[in-house]
Amino acid sequence: MSKKTFTEKEINQLSINPYVKTVSSKGITYTNEFKSCFIAEKKKGKFSRQIFEEAGFDVNIIGMTRIHAASKRWSEAFKKNGVMGLTDTRKGHSGRPREREVSLEEKNA
């Protein structure tokens, strides 16, 4: 994760972009649509910075470290699992796994 935190003004500016799902002071969650477009444009030979700029992002706010990290993460996920690798799965797999029911014998042991 990047050490740069976003100011309230930067958060407001980023949240206006249609390709941003959520944004906080610590990070940005991009839409699946943007990730797919990013991979398609990357395959055409465009640079990561150029793709972000064409999508309406201010690269000075986001920072090149974040852009390169996202590019690497999405490229690897796409190679491994195709388009499904780009979907945000955190909602379905967050938190601790549920614990199974413990029998009375196990509780008393």
Side-chain angles (χ1 to χ4, degrees), residues 28 30 66 68-78 85-86:
I28 308 169
Y30 302 94
R66 244 190 199 100
H68 289 305
S71 175
K72 184 178 179 186
R73 188 172 59 250
W74 298 338
S75 296
E76 288 174 1
F78 183 77
L86 300 175

Side-chain angles (χ1 to χ4, degrees), residues 20-56:
V20 172
K21 198 185 267 187
T22 59
V23 63
S24 69
S25 63
K26 293 184 178 181
I28 308 169
T29 302
Y30 302 94
T31 63
N32 293 336
E33 177 189 3
F34 177 65
K35 295 176 196 176
S36 296
C37 290
F38 180 89
I39 293 296
E41 294 298 308
K42 193 84 169 149
K43 282 184 175 181
K44 293 178 186 175
K46 287 189 180 180
F47 292 110
S48 302
R49 179 187 182 116
Q50 183 182 3
I51 299 167
F52 270 78
E53 286 174 339
E54 289 174 358

Side-chain angles (χ1 to χ4, degrees), residues 93-104:
H93 302 289
S94 62
R96 290 185 177 176
R98 293 186 180 156
E99 293 183 18
R100 63 180 179 80
E101 289 288 328
V102 181
S103 69
L104 284 173

